[in-house]
Amino acid sequence: MYTCADVAQRYGVKVITVWDWIRKEKLSAIKIGRDYRVSEEDLKVFEENNRTTRKQSNIS
């Protein structure tokens, strides 16, 4: 599980940006006490949803 600071560092943004993604439901997170934690799986979903191009399957 990653903290918001970990996620911000990973993507080169500020922590407030990560909070905004969570608030706007662009990034799923678990609230533990006053802090949020983000799973690796949630980060993969976030990255896939924000791809500029989609992977294409090899349909012949």
Side-chain angles (χ1 to χ4, degrees):
M1 299 295 278
Y2 298 95
T3 65
C4 289
D6 294 335
V7 175
Q9 184 176 11
R10 178 174 176 154
Y11 296 116
V13 298
K14 295 183 179 191
V15 174
I16 196 165
T17 301
V18 177
W19 293 339
D20 189 51
W21 292 340
I22 293 168
R23 190 179 78 249
K24 291 181 178 177
E25 299 181 358
K26 293 180 179 183
L27 175 63
S28 294
I30 298 169
K31 189 168 186 178
I32 301 175
R34 297 178 63 186
D35 299 321
Y36 289 102
R37 296 290 186 270
V38 181
S39 70
E40 182 70 34
E41 184 175 323
D42 287 332
L43 289 177
K44 288 178 184 178
V45 170
F46 174 77
E47 290 172 358
E48 187 61 34
N49 289 338
N50 287 288
R51 292 179 66 86
T52 57
T53 58
R54 300 289 178 214
K55 293 180 183 177
Q56 295 200 0
S57 60
N58 293 333
I59 300 175
S60 299

